[in-house]
Amino acid sequence: MTIAVRPRPSLRFRGRSFMALVLAPEVPLRDWLEDLDAVSERSPGFFSGRPIIADVSNLKPSKSELKFLLAAFRMRNIRIIGLEGAAPENVEPDMPPQITGGKPAGEIDVTDPAGTADTAVSAVSAFSHQPSAEKSLMIEGSVRSGQSILHPEGDVTVLGSVASGAEIVAGGSIHVYGALRGRAIAGCTGNGRARIFCRKFEAELIAVDGLYKTADDLGTKFHGQPIQVHLDGDSIILQTLD
């Protein structure tokens, strides 16, 4: 009697990189949470839908303190996908898992206009399993509200527009052939030479290599114009395109 044995397909594993933000609370925690609230008030939705890692190594929290911190994040609708720097015995099964091995990708300083709040948010490339050569990404169309395009490997070109509530995050430069109404974050992996180009400037937020400006900071001088954005030292420079 002959029995046919069907070979089982082998498993295939593929590497893929995702961008996450790291929040690193500091003492006194109450003051730090107030600064975090100031950032959320200035840029509503900044943390919405983003993967966030909480680096608690500065706090060295006890189990009860860690529970309090995670509850404070939940109250602010900040989704924590992982913990870094927590003592293993303080991490309970219902808490986010411990995460290690993230690749740092620069620091973002978000400063209150009155100078009363200065909260640092770090961007990291989390869960990076394989290196990839720098390359560009082209979007043949528009980026709709609520969409987030994350491409830390190089430039991003959008042939259409970027809607309000949409976001482009690139390791290199960002080129928008239509209107830029959402958020554009260029040079997210520490590339100070990155730039942002668009045909019609109506952005909610722009950033290059960790330096940010929101719509409130930018005013109306360049509204509706074709512009480019680049860094000059620690300043964000906007120029019209001739």
Side-chain angles (χ1 to χ4, degrees):
M1 180 177 179
T2 302
I3 299 176
V5 179
R6 181 177 298 175
R8 298 182 64 175
S10 58
L11 294 175
R12 177 176 294 178
F13 296 91
R14 293 179 177 176
R16 184 168 297 181
S17 296
F18 296 91
M19 292 298 295
L21 293 182
V22 173
L23 289 176
E26 299 178 353
V27 291
L29 184 58
R30 185 183 300 274
D31 292 346
W32 186 88
L33 289 173
E34 289 179 357
D35 291 349
L36 185 66
D37 291 337
V39 172
S40 297
E41 289 176 5
R42 287 187 57 222
S43 302
F46 181 80
F47 297 107
S48 178
R50 290 177 180 268
I52 309 290
I53 295 171
D55 180 0
V56 297
S57 55
N58 291 329
L59 295 179
K60 296 180 174 55
S62 65
K63 184 179 294 186
S64 61
E65 291 170 338
L66 187 57
K67 288 181 177 180
F68 170 81
L69 178 62
L70 292 174
F73 284 133
R74 286 195 298 271
M75 289 175 58
R76 291 162 172 80
N77 294 318
I78 296 177
R79 182 181 60 175
I80 303 298
I81 65 167
L83 293 170
E84 189 173 11
E89 62 272 16
N90 293 333
V91 180
E92 296 187 340
D94 61 342
M95 292 181 179
Q98 290 267 45
I99 288 178
T100 59
K103 179 182 178 182
E107 190 172 85
I108 302 166
D109 290 325
V110 187
T111 307
D112 182 79
T116 58
D118 190 0
T119 299
V121 181
S122 296
V124 301
S125 179
F127 320 120
S128 180
H129 302 296
Q130 66 180 19
S132 58
E134 183 172 328
K135 56 186 178 180
S136 61
L137 172 67
M138 180 177 292
I139 308 296
E140 295 185 357
S142 296
V143 183
R144 300 186 302 274
S145 180
Q147 286 187 303
S148 183
I149 306 298
L150 306 178
H151 185 67
E153 291 85 5
D155 294 357
V156 173
T157 299
V158 180
L159 299 184
S161 297
V162 178
S164 176
E167 178 183 70
I168 306 290
V169 181
S173 296
I174 297 174
H175 308 258
V176 181
Y177 280 70
L180 172 57
R181 299 188 177 96
R183 300 187 291 264
I185 301 172
C188 69
T189 55
N191 182 359
R193 300 182 64 184
R195 300 193 176 208
I196 300 171
F197 302 87
C198 71
R199 183 162 294 183
K200 187 177 183 181
F201 182 72
E202 299 175 358
E204 298 169 341
L205 179 146
I206 55 173
V208 179
D209 189 20
L211 295 177
Y212 270 69
K213 281 188 178 294
T214 65
D216 292 339
D217 301 325
L218 296 167
T220 60
K221 179 179 179 180
F222 296 97
H223 190 83
Q225 298 190 53
I227 61 100
Q228 68 164 311
V229 181
H230 64 92
L231 291 185
D232 183 1
D234 290 331
S235 300
I236 293 182
I237 305 298
L238 282 73
Q239 295 177 324
T240 56
L241 294 171
D242 295 331

